[in-house]
């Protein structure tokens, strides 16, 4: 059963679906040679992709190019369908910092053929998340510094204010497509600076006021 932890309480909510935004920061869309989207770009990861802090991201044998994407992650508290922007905040249970680990070579091959990204984005260990903090502890989720270091050197740093689609709009859009349920997660997209990591690398992700996440990159056991 896929669960995550909440800071300051013993709660271990069960995670349902993991919805992810693509190209939600203009500078990242540009570095990927993509247009800034006019409607949210959405893909899913299975709950089996979850990983907790202090764990190892396993580079699968069918990829040679694993990338980091640091993101603010939202947990849904109260579920719903067709949630309005003005009601969206009431449906948020908490926030975490996460890594949308991506097999960039597999994704590029899928993109070239117009095929889905499920393998590139949803493989085991592709969704590390920090412990969650209650939504009420975060004054403004659109004014948080996000950062990622690899082996102590800074690779990504940006403010969540740069998101194209803000969280209320994301919840409005996603709930028009999917029924949202308690324990669902939303990865809100990565800023620019994504790049390759290799086995042995140590990743330290941080979201201001939210928390930190540490993982190492490993190879499959042989
Ligand atoms: Mg991403």
């Amino acid at each position: 059963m896929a669960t995550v932890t909440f800071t300051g309480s013993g709660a271990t909510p069960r995670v349902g679906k993991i919805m992810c935004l693509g190209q939600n920061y203009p500078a990242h869309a540009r570095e990927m040679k993509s247009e800034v989207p006019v409607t949210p770009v959405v893909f899913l990861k299975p709950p089996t992709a979850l990983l907790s802090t202090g764990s190892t991201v396993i580079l699968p044998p069918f990829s040679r190019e694993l990338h980091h994407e640091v993101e603010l992650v939202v947990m849904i508290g109260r579920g719903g369908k067709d949630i309005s922007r003005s009601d969206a905040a009431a449906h948020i249970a908490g926030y975490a910092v996460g890594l949308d680990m991506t097999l960039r070579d597999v994704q590029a091959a899928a993109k070239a053929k117009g095929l889905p990204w499920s393998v590139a984005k949803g493989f085991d260990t592709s969704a590390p998340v920090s412990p969650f903090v209650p939504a009420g502890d975060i004054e403004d989720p659109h004014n948080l510094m996000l950062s990622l270091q690899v082996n102590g050197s800074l690779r990504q740093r940006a403010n969540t204010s740069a998101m194209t689609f803000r969280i209320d709009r994301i919840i409005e859009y996603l709930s028009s497509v999917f029924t949202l349920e308690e324990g669902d997660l939303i990865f809100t997209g990565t800023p620019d600076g994504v790049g390759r990591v290799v086995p042995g690398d140590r990743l330290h992700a941080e979201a201001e006021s939210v928390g930190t996440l540490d993982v190492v990159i490993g190879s499959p056991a042989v």
Side-chain angles (χ1 to χ4, degrees):
M1 188 168 82
T3 60
V4 293
T5 58
F6 255 88
T7 304
S9 84
T12 54
R14 181 175 184 169
V15 173
K17 55 190 166 294
I18 304 174
M19 299 157 280
C20 307
L21 273 281
Q23 298 151 12
N24 199 31
Y25 286 75
H28 174 61
R30 281 195 294 275
E31 77 179 347
M32 296 304 294
K33 313 253 183 298
S34 299
E35 290 178 15
V36 175
V38 292
T39 51
V41 174
V42 178
F43 59 91
L44 299 170
K45 290 177 188 265
T48 44
L50 277 174
L51 195 70
S52 56
T53 188
S55 303
T56 302
V57 174
I58 302 294
L59 170 62
F62 49 83
S63 172
R64 303 186 67 80
E65 193 182 12
L66 176 63
H67 274 205
H68 56 76
E69 298 190 357
V70 66
E71 311 198 358
L72 181 68
V73 180
V74 173
M75 178 185 284
I76 296 297
R78 185 156 52 84
K81 175 74 178 166
D82 296 324
I83 298 166
S84 68
R85 290 174 81 152
S86 57
D87 281 344
H91 291 262
I92 299 172
Y95 299 96
V97 59
L99 288 165
D100 168 18
M101 299 304 296
T102 301
L103 305 174
R104 198 68 76 196
D105 51 350
V106 176
Q107 186 193 32
K111 277 183 173 178
K113 294 180 181 173
L115 295 173
W117 299 358
S118 305
V119 174
K121 291 288 198 178
F123 64 97
D124 285 350
T125 74
S126 63
V129 291
S130 73
F132 282 74
V133 294
D137 290 3
I138 303 301
E139 195 176 324
D140 181 3
H142 298 104
N143 186 22
L144 302 174
M145 289 306 301
L146 276 179
S147 65
L148 179 80
Q149 295 177 21
V150 179
N151 302 324
S153 74
L154 189 65
R155 295 280 191 92
Q156 291 189 268
R157 188 166 191 277
N159 194 286
T160 55
S161 61
M163 281 183 200
T164 299
F165 299 106
R166 293 164 78 90
I167 294 164
D168 57 350
R169 170 67 181 128
I170 293 170
I171 288 175
E172 177 189 57
Y173 180 75
L174 289 175
S175 71
S176 76
V177 180
F178 309 107
T179 296
L180 302 190
E181 297 178 303
E182 182 178 5
D184 286 348
L185 302 185
I186 303 168
F187 277 65
T188 57
T190 194
D192 60 328
V194 302
R196 190 177 181 202
V197 286
V198 297
D201 282 347
R202 296 185 168 274
L203 280 59
H204 175 77
E206 208 164 325
E208 180 186 2
S209 305
V210 171
T212 61
L213 168 65
D214 290 275
V215 294
V216 297
I217 308 300
S219 303
V222 286

